[in-house]
Amino acid sequence: MSQGSLRLIPLTLRINGRDHGPIDVPDDMMLVDVLHEYLGLTGTRFGCGQGVCRACTVIVDDEQGPREVRSCITGAHYFQGKAIRTVEGHTKRGDDGALLELSAVQQAFLDHFSFQCGYCTPGFVNAATVLLERLGKQAARDYPREEVRALILEALNPHLCRCTGYVRYYQAVEELVLKLPTVRLRKPAEESR
């Protein structure tokens, strides 16, 4: 074990609207390990350990807006003082912790049977959530269907699914994007002009 891995540094995080810490965390520990081992938040997946599959994706909310960060390759101390959302933070829960309602993304993925094993799903939920929030904050405009699909492809394409659930993930997200008041689908006659 390297000398660096034994050095503990206090860490304070805001995760899913709740403050955590300060907790003493090894200086070289990745966020995914802190979520699992220190905070009991196991919904964020450790897949490839290299940031390629993106099952470990969390959302960071900052002045630039929501963005995805891969937690298996990003040290926990990078997140010091930042607001983070994990897949557990998307649902609405009662005071007793009971599930009251899934997020629109989670419900759409269920409705479309988007996943099989579900290992990649937390990353896809976070990617779709970031896309929807960004599109929801922009000025309303007309989109050709192909541009809508290109936006979805750009957001979801980096995420890997070994069960090949891509088509259903994309269909679910397209349905949600087209429900946004800021995204108006250009009619075919308008597209040919």
Side-chain angles (χ1 to χ4, degrees):
M1 191 175 280
S2 72
Q3 191 71 332
S5 65
L6 298 177
R7 189 168 147 225
L8 299 177
I9 299 175
L11 176 66
T12 301
L13 302 167
R14 182 159 187 79
I15 302 174
N16 302 327
R18 292 187 51 217
D19 292 322
H20 297 273
I23 51 176
D24 290 332
V25 174
D27 65 347
D28 62 350
M29 184 172 270
M30 299 299 122
L31 179 66
V32 69
D33 297 319
V34 171
L35 293 173
H36 290 187
E37 303 301 326
Y38 287 78
L39 302 175
L41 297 170
T42 58
T44 301
R45 303 292 189 221
F46 181 86
C48 67
Q50 298 174 8
V52 176
C53 74
R54 298 188 184 229
C56 67
T57 298
V58 297
I59 298 173
V60 173
D61 293 300
D62 58 23
E63 61 281 345
Q64 301 165 10
R67 60 188 170 91
E68 297 176 63
V69 178
R70 293 168 283 172
S71 67
C72 76
I73 60 169
T74 308
H77 291 282
Y78 166 81
F79 297 92
Q80 173 69 34
K82 290 183 171 44
I84 303 163
R85 283 183 280 163
T86 67
V87 71
E88 291 94 345
H90 295 294
T91 58
K92 290 187 180 133
R93 296 190 174 270
D95 292 337
D96 62 353
L99 177 67
L100 300 176
E101 184 181 4
L102 296 174
S103 73
V105 172
Q106 291 167 319
Q107 189 61 56
F109 285 174
L110 281 174
D111 293 345
H112 283 264
F113 303 100
S114 298
F115 52 89
Q116 290 177 31
C117 79
Y119 205 81
C120 64
T121 304
F124 275 97
V125 167
N126 285 332
T129 300
V130 167
L131 174 65
L132 290 165
E133 288 179 4
R134 285 185 176 167
L135 289 173
K137 290 179 182 172
Q138 70 178 15
R141 65 174 271 230
D142 295 334
Y143 286 87
R145 184 174 295 275
E146 288 312 308
E147 188 177 343
V148 169
R149 289 182 174 161
L151 289 169
I152 295 166
L153 183 66
E154 182 181 342
L156 300 185
N157 202 42
H159 292 261
L160 300 181
C161 172
R162 293 182 179 182
C163 302
T164 66
Y166 295 107
V167 172
R168 292 180 179 188
Y169 278 127
Y170 286 55
Q171 289 170 341
V173 174
E174 183 175 354
E175 179 181 287
L176 292 172
V177 167
L178 294 176
K179 288 180 181 177
L180 291 171
T182 57
V183 177
R184 296 183 307 251
L185 194 59
R186 193 176 293 163
K187 294 182 176 44
E190 295 172 335
E191 289 181 19
S192 61
R193 289 182 200 167

Coordinates of all heavy atoms in Angstrom, one line a residue, residues 19-73:
D19 N -26.2 17.3 3.8 CA -24.8 17.5 4.1 C -24.2 16.3 4.7 O -24.9 15.7 5.6 CB -24.6 18.7 4.9 CG -24.9 20.0 4.2 OD1 -24.6 20.1 3.0 OD2 -25.5 20.9 4.8
H20 N -23.0 15.9 4.3 CA -22.3 14.8 4.9 C -20.9 15.2 5.3 O -20.2 15.8 4.5 CB -22.2 13.6 3.9 CG -23.5 13.1 3.5 ND1 -24.1 12.1 4.2 CD2 -24.3 13.4 2.5 CE1 -25.3 11.8 3.6 NE2 -25.4 12.5 2.6
G21 N -20.5 15.0 6.5 CA -19.1 15.3 6.9 C -19.1 16.4 7.9 O -20.1 16.9 8.3
P22 N -17.8 16.7 8.3 CA -16.6 16.2 7.7 C -16.4 14.7 8.1 O -16.6 14.4 9.3 CB -15.5 17.1 8.2 CG -16.1 17.7 9.5 CD -17.6 17.7 9.3
I23 N -15.9 14.0 7.2 CA -15.5 12.6 7.4 C -14.0 12.4 6.9 O -13.7 13.0 5.9 CB -16.4 11.5 6.7 CG1 -16.6 11.9 5.2 CG2 -17.7 11.4 7.4 CD1 -17.4 10.9 4.4
D24 N -13.3 11.7 7.7 CA -11.9 11.5 7.3 C -11.8 10.4 6.2 O -12.2 9.2 6.4 CB -11.0 11.1 8.5 CG -10.9 12.2 9.5 OD1 -10.9 13.4 9.0 OD2 -10.7 11.9 10.7
V25 N -11.3 10.8 5.0 CA -11.2 9.9 3.9 C -9.8 9.9 3.3 O -9.1 10.9 3.3 CB -12.2 10.5 2.8 CG1 -12.1 9.7 1.5 CG2 -13.6 10.4 3.3
P26 N -9.3 8.7 2.9 CA -8.0 8.6 2.3 C -7.9 9.6 1.2 O -8.8 9.8 0.4 CB -7.9 7.2 1.9 CG -8.8 6.4 2.8 CD -9.9 7.4 3.0
D27 N -6.7 10.2 1.0 CA -6.5 11.3 0.0 C -6.6 10.8 -1.4 O -6.9 11.6 -2.3 CB -5.2 12.0 0.3 CG -4.0 11.2 0.1 OD1 -4.1 9.9 0.0 OD2 -2.9 11.8 0.0
D28 N -6.4 9.5 -1.6 CA -6.5 9.0 -3.0 C -7.8 8.1 -3.3 O -7.8 7.5 -4.3 CB -5.2 8.1 -3.3 CG -5.1 6.9 -2.4 OD1 -5.9 6.8 -1.4 OD2 -4.2 6.1 -2.6
M29 N -8.8 8.2 -2.4 CA -10.0 7.4 -2.6 C -10.9 8.1 -3.6 O -11.1 9.3 -3.6 CB -10.7 7.3 -1.2 CG -11.9 6.4 -1.3 SD -12.7 6.0 0.3 CE -11.7 4.5 0.7
M30 N -11.5 7.3 -4.5 CA -12.4 7.7 -5.5 C -13.8 8.0 -4.9 O -14.1 7.3 -3.9 CB -12.5 6.8 -6.6 CG -11.2 6.5 -7.4 SD -10.5 8.0 -8.1 CE -8.9 8.0 -7.4
L31 N -14.6 8.9 -5.5 CA -15.9 9.2 -4.9 C -16.8 7.9 -4.8 O -17.5 7.8 -3.8 CB -16.6 10.3 -5.7 CG -18.0 10.6 -5.2 CD1 -17.9 11.3 -3.8 CD2 -18.7 11.5 -6.2
V32 N -16.7 7.1 -5.8 CA -17.6 5.9 -5.8 C -17.4 5.1 -4.6 O -18.3 4.5 -4.0 CB -17.5 5.1 -7.1 CG1 -16.1 4.4 -7.2 CG2 -18.6 4.1 -7.2
D33 N -16.1 5.0 -4.1 CA -15.8 4.2 -2.9 C -16.3 4.9 -1.6 O -16.8 4.3 -0.7 CB -14.3 4.0 -2.8 CG -13.8 3.1 -4.0 OD1 -14.5 2.2 -4.3 OD2 -12.7 3.4 -4.5
V34 N -16.3 6.2 -1.6 CA -16.8 7.0 -0.5 C -18.3 6.8 -0.4 O -18.9 6.6 0.7 CB -16.4 8.5 -0.6 CG1 -17.2 9.3 0.5 CG2 -14.9 8.7 -0.4
L35 N -19.0 6.9 -1.6 CA -20.4 6.7 -1.6 C -20.8 5.3 -1.1 O -21.7 5.2 -0.3 CB -20.9 6.9 -3.0 CG -20.8 8.2 -3.7 CD1 -21.2 8.2 -5.1 CD2 -21.7 9.2 -2.9
H36 N -20.1 4.3 -1.5 CA -20.4 2.9 -1.1 C -20.0 2.7 0.4 O -20.8 2.2 1.2 CB -19.7 1.9 -2.0 CG -20.2 1.9 -3.4 ND1 -19.8 0.9 -4.3 CD2 -21.1 2.6 -4.0 CE1 -20.4 1.1 -5.4 NE2 -21.2 2.2 -5.3
E37 N -18.7 2.9 0.7 CA -18.2 2.5 2.0 C -18.5 3.4 3.2 O -18.6 2.9 4.3 CB -16.7 2.3 1.8 CG -16.3 1.4 0.7 CD -16.8 -0.1 0.9 OE1 -16.9 -0.5 2.1 OE2 -17.1 -0.7 -0.1
Y38 N -18.6 4.7 2.9 CA -18.8 5.6 4.0 C -20.2 6.1 4.2 O -20.7 6.4 5.3 CB -17.9 6.9 3.8 CG -16.4 6.6 4.1 CD1 -15.6 6.0 3.1 CD2 -15.8 7.0 5.3 CE1 -14.3 5.7 3.3 CE2 -14.5 6.8 5.5 CZ -13.7 6.1 4.5 OH -12.4 5.9 4.8
L39 N -20.9 6.2 3.0 CA -22.3 6.8 3.1 C -23.4 5.8 2.8 O -24.6 6.2 2.9 CB -22.3 8.0 2.1 CG -21.3 9.0 2.4 CD1 -21.3 10.1 1.3 CD2 -21.5 9.7 3.7
G40 N -23.1 4.6 2.4 CA -24.1 3.6 2.2 C -25.0 3.8 0.9 O -26.1 3.3 0.8
L41 N -24.5 4.7 0.0 CA -25.2 5.0 -1.2 C -24.6 4.1 -2.3 O -23.6 4.4 -2.9 CB -25.0 6.5 -1.6 CG -25.6 7.4 -0.6 CD1 -25.2 8.9 -0.9 CD2 -27.2 7.3 -0.6
T42 N -25.2 3.0 -2.6 CA -24.7 2.0 -3.5 C -25.3 2.0 -4.8 O -25.0 1.1 -5.7 CB -24.8 0.5 -2.8 OG1 -26.2 0.3 -2.6 CG2 -24.0 0.4 -1.6
G43 N -26.2 2.9 -5.1 CA -26.8 3.0 -6.5 C -25.8 3.3 -7.6 O -26.0 2.9 -8.7
T44 N -24.8 4.1 -7.3 CA -23.8 4.5 -8.2 C -22.9 3.2 -8.4 O -22.4 2.7 -7.4 CB -22.9 5.7 -7.7 OG1 -23.8 6.8 -7.5 CG2 -21.8 6.0 -8.7
R45 N -22.8 2.8 -9.6 CA -22.1 1.5 -9.9 C -20.6 1.7 -10.2 O -20.2 2.6 -10.8 CB -22.7 0.8 -11.1 CG -24.2 0.6 -11.0 CD -24.5 -0.4 -9.9 NE -25.9 -0.8 -10.0 CZ -26.6 -1.0 -8.9 NH1 -26.1 -0.9 -7.7 NH2 -27.9 -1.3 -9.0
F46 N -19.9 0.7 -9.7 CA -18.4 0.6 -10.1 C -18.4 -0.5 -11.2 O -18.6 -1.7 -11.0 CB -17.6 0.1 -8.9 CG -16.1 0.0 -9.2 CD1 -15.3 1.1 -9.2 CD2 -15.6 -1.2 -9.6 CE1 -14.0 1.0 -9.5 CE2 -14.3 -1.3 -10.0 CZ -13.4 -0.2 -9.9
G47 N -18.2 0.0 -12.4 CA -18.2 -0.9 -13.6 C -16.8 -1.3 -14.0 O -16.2 -2.2 -13.5
C48 N -16.3 -0.5 -14.9 CA -15.0 -0.8 -15.5 C -13.8 -0.3 -14.6 O -12.7 -0.8 -14.8 CB -14.9 -0.2 -16.9 SG -14.9 1.6 -16.9
G49 N -14.0 0.7 -13.8 CA -12.9 1.3 -13.0 C -12.0 2.2 -13.7 O -11.0 2.6 -13.2
Q50 N -12.4 2.5 -15.0 CA -11.5 3.3 -15.8 C -12.3 4.5 -16.4 O -11.8 5.3 -17.2 CB -11.0 2.5 -17.0 CG -10.1 1.4 -16.5 CD -9.6 0.5 -17.7 OE1 -9.8 0.8 -18.8 NE2 -9.0 -0.6 -17.3
G51 N -13.6 4.7 -16.0 CA -14.4 5.8 -16.5 C -14.9 5.6 -17.9 O -15.5 6.5 -18.4
V52 N -14.8 4.4 -18.4 CA -15.2 4.2 -19.8 C -16.7 3.9 -19.9 O -17.4 4.4 -20.7 CB -14.4 3.1 -20.5 CG1 -14.9 2.8 -21.9 CG2 -12.9 3.5 -20.6
C53 N -17.2 3.0 -19.0 CA -18.6 2.6 -19.1 C -19.6 3.6 -18.6 O -20.7 3.6 -19.0 CB -18.8 1.2 -18.4 SG -18.7 1.4 -16.6
R54 N -19.2 4.4 -17.7 CA -20.0 5.5 -17.1 C -21.1 5.1 -16.2 O -22.0 5.8 -15.9 CB -20.5 6.5 -18.2 CG -19.3 7.1 -18.9 CD -19.7 8.2 -19.8 NE -18.6 8.7 -20.5 CZ -18.3 10.0 -20.7 NH1 -19.1 10.9 -20.2 NH2 -17.3 10.4 -21.3
A55 N -21.1 3.8 -15.8 CA -22.1 3.4 -14.8 C -21.9 4.1 -13.5 O -22.8 4.2 -12.6 CB -21.9 1.9 -14.5
C56 N -20.7 4.7 -13.3 CA -20.4 5.4 -12.0 C -20.8 6.9 -12.1 O -20.4 7.7 -11.1 CB -18.9 5.3 -11.8 SG -17.9 6.2 -13.0
T57 N -21.4 7.4 -13.1 CA -21.7 8.8 -13.3 C -22.6 9.4 -12.2 O -23.6 8.8 -11.8 CB -22.4 9.0 -14.7 OG1 -21.5 8.6 -15.7 CG2 -22.8 10.5 -14.9
V58 N -22.2 10.5 -11.7 CA -23.0 11.3 -10.7 C -23.2 12.7 -11.4 O -22.5 13.0 -12.4 CB -22.3 11.5 -9.4 CG1 -22.1 10.1 -8.7 CG2 -21.0 12.2 -9.4
I59 N -24.1 13.4 -10.8 CA -24.3 14.8 -11.3 C -23.8 15.8 -10.3 O -24.0 15.7 -9.1 CB -25.9 15.1 -11.5 CG1 -26.5 14.1 -12.5 CG2 -26.1 16.5 -11.9 CD1 -28.0 14.2 -12.6
V60 N -23.0 16.7 -10.9 CA -22.5 17.9 -10.0 C -23.3 19.1 -10.5 O -23.4 19.4 -11.7 CB -21.0 18.1 -10.2 CG1 -20.5 19.3 -9.5 CG2 -20.2 16.9 -9.7
D61 N -23.9 19.8 -9.5 CA -24.6 21.0 -9.7 C -23.7 22.2 -9.3 O -23.3 22.3 -8.1 CB -25.9 21.0 -9.0 CG -26.9 20.0 -9.5 OD1 -27.2 20.1 -10.6 OD2 -27.3 19.1 -8.7
D62 N -23.3 23.0 -10.3 CA -22.5 24.2 -9.9 C -23.0 25.4 -10.8 O -24.0 25.3 -11.5 CB -21.0 23.9 -10.1 CG -20.6 23.4 -11.4 OD1 -21.3 23.7 -12.4 OD2 -19.6 22.8 -11.5
E63 N -22.2 26.4 -10.8 CA -22.6 27.6 -11.5 C -22.7 27.4 -13.0 O -23.4 28.2 -13.7 CB -21.6 28.8 -11.2 CG -20.1 28.5 -11.7 CD -19.4 27.6 -10.7 OE1 -19.8 27.4 -9.6 OE2 -18.3 27.1 -11.1
Q64 N -22.1 26.4 -13.6 CA -22.3 26.1 -15.0 C -23.5 25.3 -15.3 O -23.8 25.0 -16.4 CB -21.0 25.3 -15.5 CG -19.7 26.0 -15.2 CD -18.5 25.1 -15.4 OE1 -18.6 24.0 -15.8 NE2 -17.4 25.6 -15.0
G65 N -24.2 24.9 -14.3 CA -25.4 24.0 -14.4 C -25.1 22.6 -14.1 O -23.9 22.3 -13.7
P66 N -26.0 21.7 -14.3 CA -25.7 20.3 -14.0 C -24.8 19.7 -15.1 O -24.8 20.0 -16.2 CB -27.1 19.6 -14.1 CG -27.9 20.5 -15.1 CD -27.4 21.9 -14.9
R67 N -23.9 18.8 -14.6 CA -22.9 18.1 -15.5 C -22.6 16.8 -14.9 O -22.7 16.5 -13.7 CB -21.7 18.9 -15.7 CG -20.9 19.2 -14.4 CD -19.7 20.2 -14.7 NE -19.1 20.7 -13.5 CZ -18.1 20.1 -12.9 NH1 -17.5 19.0 -13.4 NH2 -17.6 20.6 -11.8
E68 N -22.2 15.9 -15.8 CA -21.9 14.5 -15.4 C -20.4 14.5 -15.0 O -19.6 15.1 -15.6 CB -22.1 13.6 -16.6 CG -23.5 13.4 -17.0 CD -23.5 12.5 -18.3 OE1 -23.2 11.3 -18.1 OE2 -23.9 13.0 -19.3
V69 N -20.1 13.7 -14.0 CA -18.7 13.4 -13.6 C -18.6 11.9 -13.3 O -19.5 11.4 -12.6 CB -18.3 14.3 -12.3 CG1 -16.9 13.9 -11.9 CG2 -18.4 15.7 -12.6
R70 N -17.6 11.3 -13.7 CA -17.4 9.9 -13.5 C -16.7 9.7 -12.2 O -15.6 10.1 -12.0 CB -16.6 9.3 -14.7 CG -17.4 9.3 -15.9 CD -16.5 9.0 -17.1 NE -15.8 10.2 -17.5 CZ -14.8 10.2 -18.4 NH1 -14.5 9.1 -19.1 NH2 -14.2 11.3 -18.6
S71 N -17.4 9.0 -11.2 CA -16.9 8.9 -9.9 C -15.9 7.9 -9.6 O -15.3 7.9 -8.5 CB -18.1 8.8 -8.9 OG -18.7 7.5 -9.1
C72 N -15.7 7.0 -10.6 CA -14.7 5.9 -10.3 C -13.3 6.4 -10.7 O -12.3 5.7 -10.3 CB -15.0 4.6 -11.1 SG -14.7 4.7 -12.9
I73 N -13.1 7.5 -11.4 CA -11.8 8.0 -11.7 C -11.6 9.4 -11.2 O -10.6 10.0 -11.5 CB -11.6 8.0 -13.3 CG1 -12.6 8.8 -14.0 CG2 -11.5 6.5 -13.8 CD1 -12.3 9.1 -15.5

